[in-house]
Amino acid sequence: MEEENTGVILLTKPLSLEGDSDGDYRAPNLLQRVLSLFKNVRPGSDLTRFQLSPQFNIPKSQLQCFGEEVYCTGYDLLGRCNKAETPHDRFTAVVSWSISTLRPVIFGIAPYNPILGETNHVTRGNLNVLLEQVSHHPPVTALHATDEKENLEMIWCQNPTPKFYGTSVETKVHGKRQLKLLNHGETYEMNSPKLLIKFLPLPWADWVGENRIRCHETGLEAELYYGSNSWIKGNPRTIKGKIFDSTTFELLYEIHGRWDRTVKMKDVSSRKETVIYNANEVISGLKTPVVTDLKGVCPSESAVVWGLLNQAIVGKDWGKAREAKKAVEEKQRELLRERESRDETWIPKHFTVTHSKEGSGWDCSPIQQLVPPAPISVPL
């Protein structure tokens, strides 16, 4: 924890394979979580405006959760993507990295909804990552990451849209994710699976649905399917899929396993099977980011915006937590009233944002070509 003119800065452990057992926060018991959701979730309600009591908040912003998928990892899968010599090897490395961006979800608790203009700027090694909340309603997050040494770039634009279906909540993550391996002139486009929260017959939450990855330059494409939609029918953390040549529709590899354990790939022609992903190596025992340049931390940084609330939740001071959360919300309402009184439109600082009803809807283009080194970094 650090304190400066910006206020309290408190960074908490990243979400990892161990769940809340290895974190700075322990979730309330399962019954409390179930009752909390049933009390607050109603059919037809706008779940993007859904607010949890601080007892049911992870002490971090959703913006940080998105960022951790990129900069909190126990193994440099991104570097492996760039170093692979053949298009097939690079593509399978990208598939492995894409799997690594999934983190276990804990039923009934959630991070904070990011405020408009909130940022998260973190460095891991040579990878510099910058996120900005470019829209509040609807919630849209932009991410830009660059690594000059590996000559790669990442651009994400994410718009989660939850819907309530009586006994479940399903969140689709709209938007485009791009990974560019500039040394090879290759751009990989991918989407995200859905987050499914089930209340009955057994409460659980996890990632399900289709994840597609494609590289137009090589014609390679992957179709991955996550989960079984039920703890009863099977483990929801299963993954099955295939890699094929989209120009000839030739099946090249079959993929199967569990993304919280190991994932294997079988070469269709040789029948050789290899492990392409080991969750214990990549998303276990992750290190907490640390402040390396206190004066360089922006007031819009997530750890500053939510610092007092983080501190109160970690200390289990629920009265102080409610006050801290209310203070952030009231400040945002005040800023909105001021903009409306001046007839001002808020403009993102780090991205150019466009929106259309076609395709993915939102498109975010970074203003800077390279992300600068951050005042917060992840220990290697």
Side-chain angles (χ1 to χ4, degrees):
M1 186 179 70
E2 303 281 355
E3 291 194 41
E4 180 68 13
N5 295 333
T6 50
V8 173
I9 303 174
L10 181 59
L11 293 154
T12 55
K13 289 186 178 181
L15 300 179
S16 66
L17 189 60
E18 294 82 5
D20 67 341
S21 64
D22 187 44
D24 301 292
Y25 163 85
R26 290 294 181 93
N29 68 57
L30 183 59
L31 178 59
Q32 287 178 305
R33 285 177 269 158
V34 172
L35 294 176
S36 170
L37 288 175
F38 271 123
K39 178 182 177 181
N40 291 285
V41 177
R42 296 287 185 273
S45 59
D46 182 358
L47 296 182
T48 62
R49 299 176 184 268
F50 177 60
Q51 293 286 349
L52 286 170
S53 169
Q55 288 96 323
F56 301 95
N57 277 134
I58 305 169
K60 65 177 72 254
S61 167
Q62 181 63 65
L63 200 73
Q64 291 169 286
C65 292
F66 283 143
E68 287 176 0
E69 295 175 7
V70 175
Y71 56 71
C72 283
T73 176
Y75 185 78
D76 184 18
L77 291 179
L78 271 178
R80 197 175 75 178
C81 295
N82 192 51
K83 290 181 176 70
E85 294 183 358
T86 70
H88 281 206
D89 288 345
R90 287 194 295 275
F91 192 88
T92 56
V94 170
V95 169
S96 302
W97 170 77
S98 177
I99 295 170
S100 79
T101 62
L102 290 188
R103 304 298 158 93
V105 180
I106 305 170
F107 175 86
I109 62 174
Y112 322 129
N113 295 328
I115 65 171
L116 187 64
E118 181 179 333
T119 58
N120 183 216
H121 187 195
V122 179
T123 290
R124 182 185 187 277
N126 297 298
L127 180 70
N128 301 316
V129 185
L130 176 64
L131 298 94
E132 182 177 19
Q133 192 69 12
V134 296
S135 174
H136 189 54
H137 293 302
V140 180
T141 302
L143 177 149
H144 186 211
T146 56
D147 185 327
E148 288 189 80
K149 181 180 177 181
E150 297 293 342
N151 201 21
L152 61 81
E153 181 180 32
M154 198 182 314
I155 302 172
W156 288 5
C157 189
Q158 304 194 140
N159 169 215
T161 56
K163 288 188 177 181
F164 181 57
Y165 292 98
T167 61
S168 66
V169 173
E170 182 181 281
T171 300
K172 293 183 179 179
V173 185
H174 299 285
K176 184 167 58 178
R177 297 181 173 191
Q178 289 184 328
L179 172 62
K180 300 180 180 182
L181 304 183
L182 301 174
N183 285 343
H184 306 284
E186 296 170 352
T187 297
Y188 298 80
E189 292 188 357
M190 60 203 77
N191 67 341
S192 169
K194 298 177 291 187
L195 176 61
L196 181 64
I197 301 172
K198 295 280 283 187
F199 303 122
L200 298 171
L202 292 174
W204 59 272
D206 239 310
W207 300 99
V208 301
E210 184 183 50
N211 172 212
R212 299 179 73 94
I213 305 168
R214 65 186 58 147
C215 177
H216 294 289
E217 290 80 8
T218 63
L220 296 175
E221 189 166 336
E223 292 178 357
L224 306 177
Y225 297 90
Y226 290 90
S228 65
N229 283 347
S230 171
W231 277 99
I232 296 175
K233 295 180 181 179
N235 191 294
R237 291 179 179 172
T238 57
I239 176 173
K240 292 184 178 180
K242 60 184 179 181
I243 298 174
F244 60 96
D245 187 328
S246 63
T247 60
T248 63
F249 296 101
E250 177 189 2
L251 179 62
L252 303 172
Y253 306 99
E254 294 176 340
I255 295 171
H256 67 94
R258 285 180 50 172
W259 62 264
D260 64 335
R261 293 188 181 179
T262 57
V263 179
K264 296 181 179 180
M265 180 182 72
K266 182 168 68 176
D267 188 316
V268 173
S269 60
S270 69
R271 312 307 293 176
K272 180 181 178 182
E273 194 170 72
T274 56
V275 174
I276 63 169
Y277 179 71
N278 186 327
N280 193 54
E281 294 177 353
V282 182
I283 59 171
S284 178
L286 300 178
K287 296 178 181 178
T288 305
V290 295
V291 176
T292 52
D293 177 13
L294 188 56
K295 292 183 178 179
V297 179
C298 294
S300 60
E301 175 65 44
S302 297
V304 176
V305 173
W306 303 104
L308 287 173
L309 180 52
N310 290 348
Q311 186 183 54
I313 290 177
V314 170
K316 297 183 180 180
D317 187 339
W318 303 119
K320 183 178 177 181
R322 285 187 290 272
E323 292 176 4
K325 193 170 188 180
K326 183 178 179 180
V328 174
E329 294 166 353
E330 287 296 330
K331 183 177 180 179
Q332 292 308 300
R333 294 188 188 102
E334 181 183 346
L335 291 173
L336 175 60
R337 288 192 294 268
E338 290 177 0
R339 287 195 300 271
E340 289 177 339
S341 68
R342 296 193 294 264
D343 197 25
E344 288 183 356
T345 300
W346 183 85
I347 299 174
K349 182 178 180 180
H350 303 285
F351 295 86
T352 300
V353 180
T354 57
H355 177 254
S356 66
K357 295 182 179 180
E358 299 177 358
S360 59
W362 294 86
D363 189 43
C364 305
S365 300
I367 293 174
Q368 290 182 299
Q369 184 177 357
L370 295 172
V371 178
I376 298 172
S377 49
V378 180
L380 298 177

